[in-house]
Amino acid sequence: MQNHLLSRRNFLNQGVSGLGSIALTSLLAQKGLLANDPIRPRIDPAHPYAPRPPHFEPRAKNVLVIFCSGAMSHVDTFDYKPELVKRHGMPLPGAAELITFQGAQGNLVKPLWEFKPRGQSGKMISDLLPNIAGLADDMCFIHSMTAKSNTHGPAENQMSTGYILDGFPGMGSWVTYALGSECDDMPAFVAIPDPRGVPQIGPRHWNSAFLPAAFQGTAFNASKPIPNLVRPASVSEAADRDTRAFVNLLNQRQAQEHPADSDLAARISSYELAARMQIAASEVGNMSNESKATLDLYGVNDANETKAGFAKNCLLARRLIERGVRFVQLFNGSYAMGEGVGNWDGHKTIEQQYSVHGPILDQPVAGLLKDLKARGLLQDTLVAFVTEFGRMPTFQKGANGRDHNPKGFTVWLAGAGVKKGFSYGATDEFGYKAAERVSTIYDLHATILHLLGIDHERLSYYNNGIERRLTDVHGHVLKDVLG
């Protein structure tokens, strides 16, 4: 029988190897050749929103994400393909047996709205979004974006949380976990659902998941403000003030008796923020002091009630950014109304549906960008315009709409730290697959964090034995889009 006991010779050999490995690791670390250790922000449970330093000098202080729910068609908006026009009505080459999300494909269909060159850059954008198109010189287009799922729920999850599965924090939660907030009377992360309702995965877009609950987004919009901000008529101002003072005294005593109870400290901090918000949140939602020119810029008084409601949400987003809210996520499109009725999911009658959705989105978003720029806010604010995936260059067989397409689509950035009037990557000649400088949602998230001064590879949170990141184990900063 073989003797498995450690001999003196083996002991010395393994000891020398171990010491050599330690020395090699130390040398590699000194040379910067090892992966960096995580950088976890130091968070005071009693002040979880206190501003924290970034990993390096940031280009942006705030982020505004405009999320078009339902998967906007890139080939009908921002991704011009002359070959698609030329081969209109022909089969997609090499895809005779292609089955996508809802079934077999029909023939190629040219863009349903005419593309025209815009601005000094000459960027080709369709007439579906003429006001947004007029701002092409301020935008940085990423035409080679790809997603991991062709199903709305998982794809929405990935765009907002980095993962197709449920149970992961939204990117706004990651940002506020890393940086806190410079605004002490409003939430650090605000989600603004569409006036028609929420997207398919609803609150999971702004959920903090395994991150501390303090970093969950607060959802409200112009038509549904935060409830219970006004003191009841039955409670006098003096009684309200004295009650707050008494509760504050009890909280202080409880915190002194249990200094190690971080959950208690977080709850106290949350209630103190809620008290401050009673004034601040009411004020931020009160648009009566906005000029008529500003209201008209957004389309707040438009006869289309849905457009007017979304315009108010866009104006609310600017007011939040103006007050220092770190991360604002603005949604266009609602899931509950049915396929394509209240969102960009154009399977069956895309031209009819997009003719409704385009005007709702176009003027308010263009007004928002113009307003941010005019007020100097775009210098410190990164705007990201996203959707969960794109759509096919073909129509579905037997229908007048385009099926889901995660293989290549367009998102764009504007504002702090990105190039203006610039296009990155490309899909193939039909807009079907990303073909040049293929990029992923992980890359997009890494780039957003980078512009905020955060190293995406080092920002992590230890959960269930795993160092979790927004970008998982993937992602590269898209350095060529940086200004």
Side-chain angles (χ1 to χ4, degrees), residues 200-242:
Q200 181 158 336
I201 67 168
R204 294 200 294 277
H205 281 283
W206 54 88
N207 185 26
S208 60
F210 49 74
L211 291 179
F215 304 117
Q216 178 161 312
T218 299
F220 63 95
N221 62 21
S223 60
K224 294 182 179 179
I226 299 176
N228 306 316
L229 291 176
V230 179
R231 171 173 48 83
S234 59
V235 178
S236 69
E237 183 177 352
D240 186 35
R241 183 181 60 249
D242 293 344

Side-chain angles (χ1 to χ4, degrees), residues 35-43 52 55 163 168-169 173-179 208 210-212 215 449 454-473:
N36 292 324
D37 293 330
I39 300 179
R40 294 196 190 90
R42 295 182 180 180
I43 299 171
R52 291 178 279 278
H55 300 162
Y163 296 79
F168 292 88
S173 295
W174 279 107
V175 168
T176 53
Y177 160 68
L179 300 176
S208 60
F210 49 74
L211 291 179
F215 304 117
L449 293 181
I454 302 170
D455 183 343
H456 77 101
E457 293 184 339
R458 304 182 72 183
L459 177 67
S460 69
Y461 189 87
Y462 190 72
N463 178 61
N464 284 341
I466 300 175
E467 286 287 350
R468 290 293 188 185
R469 292 175 7 198
L470 172 61
T471 53
D472 197 14
V473 295

Side-chain angles (χ1 to χ4, degrees), residues 390-471:
R391 307 203 80 85
M392 292 293 295
T394 56
F395 268 9
Q396 294 177 214
K397 193 171 184 178
N400 291 305
R402 304 184 190 276
D403 209 346
H404 301 178
N405 179 18
K407 297 180 182 296
F409 61 105
T410 297
V411 303
W412 54 258
L413 306 173
V418 298
K419 292 178 179 176
K420 299 179 180 180
F422 181 75
S423 294
Y424 176 93
T427 51
D428 62 24
E429 58 187 347
F430 304 107
Y432 172 43
K433 290 183 179 180
E436 298 177 16
R437 294 180 164 184
V438 178
S439 53
T440 67
I441 293 172
Y442 302 116
D443 299 333
L444 177 65
H445 289 165
T447 304
I448 291 172
L449 293 181
H450 177 84
L451 288 165
L452 288 165
I454 302 170
D455 183 343
H456 77 101
E457 293 184 339
R458 304 182 72 183
L459 177 67
S460 69
Y461 189 87
Y462 190 72
N463 178 61
N464 284 341
I466 300 175
E467 286 287 350
R468 290 293 188 185
R469 292 175 7 198
L470 172 61
T471 53

Side-chain angles (χ1 to χ4, degrees), residues 22-84:
I22 293 172
L24 176 61
T25 300
S26 177
L27 180 61
L28 291 173
Q30 291 176 13
K31 298 292 185 180
L33 298 177
L34 289 181
N36 292 324
D37 293 330
I39 300 179
R40 294 196 190 90
R42 295 182 180 180
I43 299 171
D44 179 359
H47 303 92
Y49 307 113
R52 291 178 279 278
H55 300 162
F56 47 84
E57 187 68 24
R59 301 290 299 276
K61 294 181 180 178
N62 313 87
V63 175
L64 168 61
V65 173
I66 303 170
F67 195 120
C68 287
S69 176
M72 174 186 282
S73 170
H74 56 296
V75 294
D76 292 300
T77 51
F78 303 114
D79 197 5
Y80 178 57
K81 296 297 175 182
E83 195 67 19
L84 183 58

Side-chain angles (χ1 to χ4, degrees), residues 274-302:
R276 295 192 298 272
M277 282 174 57
Q278 282 193 287
I279 297 175
S282 296
E283 190 278 331
V284 78
N286 181 6
M287 302 176 187
S288 61
N289 62 344
E290 297 287 348
S291 69
K292 182 180 183 302
T294 298
L295 299 179
D296 290 344
L297 175 67
Y298 284 82
V300 165
N301 296 315
D302 197 274

